[in-house]
Amino acid sequence: THNPQDLYLVVGLDEFYQLHKWKNFEKLLEVTNFYVVSRPGNILPFTKDDLPEPLRPFIEAMDRNFMALTSGR
């Protein structure tokens, strides 16, 4: 068994924009840390309003270079 504080999931920005479509994505937010990296062709969000509506409640803090997700841990 791994401590959730030690688990990281690295996803591209394009996949992060689809995260709310993943099965049980809320559970993933509870059990792992996310690193979201930019990828060619993707435009970085400026504000929470630039993100898909279902993901906005999980964004705790963000700026152009950093985004903190609410995880429930």
Side-chain angles (χ1 to χ4, degrees):
T1 308
H2 298 284
N3 180 345
Q5 300 297 335
D6 297 332
L7 295 175
Y8 295 87
L9 180 60
V10 179
V11 298
L13 184 61
D14 55 329
E15 203 55 44
F16 178 71
Y17 281 141
Q18 303 298 316
L19 183 65
H20 63 285
K21 296 179 181 178
W22 292 16
K23 182 177 181 178
N24 300 322
F25 81 95
E26 298 94 339
K27 184 66 175 171
L28 280 174
L29 292 172
E30 292 176 12
V31 300
T32 191
N33 300 292
F34 273 78
Y35 276 124
V36 180
V37 296
S38 63
R39 293 175 54 138
N42 291 119
I43 298 171
L44 294 173
F46 283 98
T47 69
K48 286 171 42 168
D49 292 335
D50 296 331
L51 297 168
E53 158 71 49
L55 295 177
R56 293 176 196 165
F58 298 97
I59 306 301
E60 188 173 288
M62 72 174 283
D63 67 28
R64 209 58 184 133
N65 300 308
F66 174 80
M67 187 181 313
L69 299 170
T70 304
S71 65
R73 287 190 266 151

